[in-house]
Amino acid sequence: MSLRYLTAGETHGPQLTAIIEGLPSHLQLDFEALNLELARRQKGYGRGRRMQIEKDTAQIAGGVRHGYTTGAPVALIVENNDWKHWQKIMNIEPMEGTDEEKRRVHRPRPGHADLNGGLKYNHKDLRNVLERSSARETAIRVAVGAVAKQLLEHFGIRIAGHVIRIGEIEAPPHNLPLSELARVTEASSVRVADSETEKKMEAYIDKIKEEGDSIGGVVECIVEGVPVGLGSHVQYDRKLDGRIAQAVMSINAFKGVEIGIGFEAGTIPGSQVHDEIVYTKERGYHRATNRLGGFEGGMTNGMPLVVRGVMKPIPTLYKPLQSVDIDRKEIFAAQVERSDACAVPAASVVLEHVVAWEVAKAFLEKFGGDSMQEIERNVQGYLAQLEEY
């Protein structure tokens, strides 16, 4: 069975919900580690007041017994603490009252899904669009990815993310081992390894916030311990780098993705792009460099996966851009909703988890079984095959 999930819920609704289907039985879940990932998403310099209201934790409502998955669908719930202030406005039952009482939105915000969604679904209240299109949904996606992370960690696959750039401030290159990178960036307010860069980024975010503006940036995810051969070259939709690219682009406000050196590959000769193949008895086949970010032909090649995404500035601004009232067709300043000046550090955490999900999905496609014990046997057999090649 293929690994998949669906989510439901609104930003000011009672909860976010996910159903995960296809997890093997006997996967031991660490609930504290799962909730730690949700807490990581809420951190970061530049976040807004919503993060002071929500203290995200995941509840498991099905598919797990005595700490282990059963093979049945796993149900995850992340409650919205802010729901208590929105119960009347977001009530599922019919509500009488004025537009003001219902907090009807009729002024679409530039850069959001408001107007497109209103036109597509024929909504005259754009709140029906913005409630679902909100980045709040990434909380439940992180919970889903946290489960995938635990599956991968069981097989020695480790993931870390960090911030490369916020606006005009870029972090210098580093040579830290993955575990050290994770430790150092976790202690940083902006998830960078360099303390001087951290100070510069904080000051830059403060300046942007004072101006009533927002700022985006670039984040990177690294995955180590991935075996050769996840994904496939035989069909476009089985290429794992393509699937990861789609997943990254599905994160709210992400407008670009790179694998390895990415767009730089279009500016330098091929001899400086491709990775030479070498062989040693200790490591077997591997690459002398990792410019292609762990992928060749849509498949993993045994090197660390390196994935970057660019996040645009959040479009909700405290100095709102021009928009048009859908009732009167008149120009107005776009409606302001509570928002962040910069969510790039949090986006780094979201990136980790969407990548973790896609790698876990490809891992189970390659080594699939109905129980962890069956998958372990399949992995061992494949690794033995590689050693004999």
Side-chain angles (χ1 to χ4, degrees), residues 67-373:
Y68 290 85
T69 57
T70 65
V74 172
L76 293 172
I77 293 169
V78 176
E79 293 183 347
N80 291 329
N81 290 334
D82 208 19
W83 160 245
K84 57 182 175 286
H85 300 121
W86 291 80
Q87 288 189 43
K88 184 176 181 181
I89 299 163
M90 294 298 295
N91 199 344
I92 295 170
E93 299 296 327
M95 173 187 168
E96 300 296 329
T98 65
D99 284 351
E100 288 74 19
E101 290 174 319
K102 296 178 181 179
R103 294 284 294 274
R104 175 174 172 258
V105 177
H106 52 93
R107 298 177 183 175
R109 301 161 299 164
H112 283 272
D114 301 355
L115 182 58
N116 295 342
L119 293 169
K120 176 178 173 64
Y121 291 99
N122 197 28
H123 287 307
K124 298 298 184 180
D125 183 354
L126 303 181
R127 183 165 298 284
N128 292 330
V129 179
L130 69 87
E131 284 287 333
R132 177 60 182 168
S133 65
S134 166
R136 175 69 184 151
E137 194 249 358
T138 61
I140 195 67
R141 294 183 71 183
V142 167
V144 168
V147 173
K149 260 190 171 182
Q150 294 191 29
L151 171 70
L152 295 173
E153 285 170 1
H154 181 86
F155 293 98
I157 299 173
R158 300 165 302 281
I159 302 176
H162 65 120
V163 171
I164 292 179
R165 172 185 284 274
I166 292 179
E168 64 186 32
I169 311 298
E170 185 172 10
H174 67 85
N175 294 309
L176 296 174
L178 193 68
S179 58
E180 183 66 7
L181 176 65
R183 185 191 69 79
V184 171
T185 56
E186 192 62 30
S188 168
S189 64
V190 288
R191 297 198 177 279
V192 293
D194 179 67
S195 59
E196 288 303 313
T197 303
E198 177 182 66
K199 295 174 186 176
K200 292 177 183 178
M201 286 181 172
E202 286 183 350
Y204 185 71
I205 292 169
D206 288 341
K207 176 178 175 291
I208 291 293
K209 187 174 182 179
E210 288 172 6
E211 295 171 351
D213 222 323
S214 61
I215 194 66
V218 179
V219 293
E220 181 178 81
C221 173
I222 303 168
V223 189
E224 289 187 348
V226 182
V228 174
L230 300 191
S232 177
H233 65 286
V234 302
Q235 288 288 358
Y236 75 95
D237 59 347
R238 295 182 64 189
K239 295 184 177 186
L240 181 55
D241 50 0
R243 286 159 49 172
I244 287 176
Q246 189 278 329
V248 173
M249 287 295 291
S250 75
I251 303 171
N252 301 62
F254 272 56
K255 302 302 289 185
V257 59
E258 290 184 318
I259 306 291
I261 63 172
F263 289 102
E264 185 186 351
T267 68
I268 54 180
S271 59
Q272 298 175 33
V273 173
H274 301 289
D275 304 305
E276 293 185 322
I277 300 173
V278 295
Y279 178 87
T280 62
K281 187 175 181 181
E282 294 74 24
R283 292 183 59 184
Y285 297 101
H286 58 280
R287 305 304 184 276
T289 55
N290 192 29
R291 299 164 183 147
L292 296 183
F295 287 99
E296 288 169 312
M299 297 170 284
T300 56
N301 62 15
M303 299 296 284
L305 310 187
V306 181
V307 181
R308 280 184 294 276
V310 56
M311 181 187 191
K312 69 177 182 177
I314 291 174
T316 299
L317 305 177
Y318 286 96
K319 55 173 187 182
L321 299 173
Q322 177 181 299
S323 185
V324 177
D325 189 305
I326 64 172
D327 292 342
R328 301 178 181 179
K329 308 301 187 288
E330 296 175 349
I331 294 174
F332 281 92
Q335 187 156 325
V336 174
E337 295 279 331
R338 179 176 50 208
S339 186
D340 306 328
C342 178
V344 175
S348 169
V349 177
V350 179
L351 176 68
E352 285 181 44
H353 289 82
V354 301
V355 172
W357 176 263
E358 293 302 324
V359 174
K361 184 176 179 180
F363 186 89
L364 290 183
E365 288 171 357
K366 174 66 177 169
F367 303 111
D370 296 315
S371 69
M372 289 294 286
Q373 295 84 354

